[in-house]
Amino acid sequence: DAVLGHQCHGTEVAWHPSARAPLRPSASALTLLDRIDGHATGSPGTLLLVTVADCIPVYLLEPRKRILALLHSGCRGTAGGILGKGLALLRERAQVEPKDLVMHLGVGICGKCYEVGAEVIEGVGLRADGDGPWHVDLRERLTHQAREAGVREISISGWCSAHDRDRFFSHRASGGRDGRMVGYLGFGA
């Protein structure tokens, strides 16, 4: 089974307890969930999907227990604590501690390209000094949140969806004309 959230740039993370059948190349079972911005599972055969075009896909894996989560984290999700909610869900449902996780922050818009208002700067825990415009690096903020929560192993993509539009989609750089990319995470039985 594959699960995709109809994202709302929020902080809801769903736990998926089991797949109906193991993943196969010909599998076509896709579940679309409304108002979900993250997924977590310990079930082999469940493929987690999020769409992104500048927001950051956050990949979380506990390799020994084979528990994983995939989060869609834009400015509202980052400010609203989607990472913390995902970590809490992993602790509650799978007894996974942040120190045991591997985290990767995928392709997204870089801080130089991400011009935001004061409400976004303040929402992610920074000060909006001066008249603006301001820039924020969501991967830097997510790294800060992860380290504060106890995640030790973090890798970060160096690609920018706006700078590298010849390779990726960017909602902002295209003026809303680009499509979306799909982040995915899963493991077989």
Side-chain angles (χ1 to χ4, degrees):
D1 285 347
V3 290
L4 173 66
H6 186 124
Q7 289 132 349
C8 60
H9 292 272
T11 61
E12 291 302 314
V13 183
W15 176 261
H16 305 291
S18 65
R20 290 188 297 254
L23 286 177
R24 299 174 308 282
S26 62
S28 61
L30 173 65
T31 301
L32 182 61
L33 302 172
D34 197 30
R35 305 188 62 78
I36 298 294
D37 281 275
H39 309 281
T41 191
S43 175
T46 299
L47 183 64
L48 309 177
L49 302 148
V50 296
T51 58
V52 292
D54 285 318
C55 298
I56 309 301
V58 179
Y59 302 85
L60 297 165
L61 170 67
E62 205 294 5
R64 289 184 321 251
K65 291 184 177 182
R66 295 176 50 122
I67 305 293
L68 43 89
L70 179 60
L71 313 173
H72 162 265
S73 192
C75 63
R76 285 181 271 179
T78 302
I82 191 169
L83 177 60
K85 288 185 178 192
L87 296 173
L89 183 67
L90 291 173
R91 181 180 287 128
E92 174 190 322
R93 292 297 190 109
Q95 293 73 52
V96 170
E97 294 300 321
K99 68 179 179 58
D100 299 322
L101 289 167
V102 175
M103 181 172 98
H104 178 69
L105 300 173
V107 173
I109 198 164
C110 76
K112 291 179 184 176
C113 292
Y114 196 33
E115 188 174 297
V116 298
E119 73 285 355
V120 172
I121 291 292
E122 292 165 358
V124 298
L126 300 172
R127 290 179 39 163
D129 294 329
D131 295 330
W134 298 273
H135 292 84
V136 66
D137 183 339
L138 293 177
R139 286 179 282 208
E140 183 276 325
R141 298 312 306 156
L142 288 161
T143 298
H144 175 76
Q145 291 174 6
R147 292 214 187 284
E148 292 231 322
V151 178
R152 297 177 184 162
E153 191 171 337
I154 302 169
S155 63
I156 303 166
S157 171
W159 294 101
C160 171
S161 52
H163 277 118
D164 302 305
R165 277 198 59 225
D166 60 326
R167 296 174 187 257
F168 307 106
F169 290 132
S170 173
H171 181 74
R172 283 190 172 227
S174 73
R177 293 180 305 277
D178 274 359
R180 298 291 183 264
M181 300 175 288
V182 174
Y184 59 93
L185 185 61
F187 53 88

